[in-house]
Amino acid sequence: MSRKVIIDTDPGVDDAMAILFAFKTNQLDVLGLTTTFGNVSVDLATKNALILTELAGVNVPVAKGVAVPLEIEPRPHADFVHGADGFGNINWPDPKSRAVDVSAAQFIIDSVKANPGEVTLIALGPLGNLATALKMAPEIADLVDEVILMGGAAVEYGNVSPVAEANIINDPHAADIVFTANWQVTMIGLDVTHQVLLTNDILARIKASRPEHGDFLHQAAQYYIQFYNDRLNVDGCFFHDASTVAYAMEPDIFGIELGAIRVACEGIAIGQTIFAPQGMSFPEPHWDGVPMTQVCMEVDSDRLLNLFEKTLS
């Protein structure tokens, strides 16, 4: 039986990898894509999400979501990572389809209420849509199966500041709402995604096997891989967003630790996901009563990359 998921996304090269991964496995039933600002504007994210549904040949609704953070001023979009078009400046043709006439938050609420206890939310970008859905309908926290999000860092260095990861720093107030809500959150952060490197060899084999989507992925990834090569001198790209899809499919690829997470919402540490391990107590009360997050700390890199290649090939 396929696992019902909604993917909240800001495509984004690595979002594209994750979304096509989810569309191509029979282990997941993608109910819809909801879009947010982040790697690109929400308008461009919506356009790119529609492109991905058409590329995959699936009839999946796309709902447009929040355009700005809940409380802070928006940060610049990461065009130096993903390109001005979000897909590595490959100028892919515009989609023919259109987004549905309902907000992302309302789409999440309606889908969860129609399938109580069955829907997993996979979040690949800033968390404004999830936080907005919680504000509109707090009861959905008891109806969602699981929230699997790419973001944060428990002990690893950040990628926007020494302590902050990009998705979380883009909307820290929304992230704190999501981490402290009464639902099961699993965090796929830099602690594990920095352990997995996707190389051009894998993308070339996918392209040779399934050019209908492999050619797009290979083209889009070149700009992204060059960014990592220039910045970190690595021959590939870290496997961020697609790791969430792998977790939804085969969670035993990862090793987890439990703990409460709060997000710093101001000051020099803004965007930091501050992890208080289960069983430890502190004089500061900020983590008291906060639900336990499953924080992924270990990963079988070879098995993860093999699953990605096999599914897309």
Side-chain angles (χ1 to χ4, degrees), residues 10-118:
D10 58 337
V13 176
D14 55 340
D15 299 72
M17 295 176 185
I19 290 165
L20 292 174
F21 191 12
F23 282 154
K24 293 303 177 182
T25 177
N26 58 15
Q27 293 178 251
L28 302 179
D29 175 13
V30 182
L31 302 180
L33 305 180
T34 53
T35 63
T36 176
F37 76 94
N39 293 324
V40 294
S41 70
V42 70
D43 289 334
L44 184 50
T46 304
K47 172 183 169 182
N48 287 351
L50 292 166
I51 287 173
L52 293 169
T53 64
E54 294 181 4
L55 186 67
V58 298
N59 184 22
V60 168
V62 173
K64 180 181 170 181
V66 297
V68 294
L70 292 185
E71 296 190 28
I72 65 171
E73 288 297 311
R75 299 176 61 84
H77 302 303
D79 55 1
F80 59 95
V81 182
H82 298 271
D85 65 353
F87 289 155
N89 293 334
I90 62 174
N91 298 313
W92 203 261
D94 288 347
K96 297 180 175 62
S97 52
R98 300 183 64 181
V100 296
D101 190 22
V102 63
S103 71
Q106 192 63 55
F107 182 86
I108 290 170
I109 293 166
D110 294 344
S111 300
V112 168
K113 288 187 173 181
N115 302 276
E118 296 182 9

Side-chain angles (χ1 to χ4, degrees), residues 171-229:
D171 200 343
H173 296 86
D176 196 54
I177 290 170
V178 170
F179 278 115
T180 56
N182 190 34
W183 53 14
Q184 179 60 67
V185 176
T186 299
M187 182 177 107
I188 312 276
L190 302 182
D191 305 279
V192 286
T193 65
H194 279 176
Q195 298 181 44
V196 186
L197 194 68
L198 177 68
T199 65
N200 258 326
D201 289 344
I202 294 172
L203 292 169
R205 290 196 296 268
I206 293 171
K207 176 181 176 180
S209 176
R210 296 292 296 273
E212 64 272 21
H213 56 255
D215 179 56
F216 167 86
L217 282 178
H218 189 270
Q219 285 189 52
Q222 299 316 300
Y223 189 97
Y224 192 56
I225 288 173
Q226 188 61 52
F227 163 77
Y228 279 104
N229 184 266

Side-chain angles (χ1 to χ4, degrees), residues 154-155 256-262 273-282 287-288 290-295 297:
V155 298
I256 64 170
E257 296 182 18
L258 294 176
I261 288 183
R262 295 298 309 273
T273 45
I274 308 170
F275 176 60
Q278 185 182 40
M280 295 186 68
S281 61
F282 301 91
W287 295 264
D288 293 352
V290 175
M292 292 293 104
T293 291
Q294 297 184 145
V295 179
M297 300 294 283

Side-chain angles (χ1 to χ4, degrees), residues 7 96 181 204 241 300 304:
I7 301 178
K96 297 180 175 62
D241 289 348
D300 185 335
L304 175 56

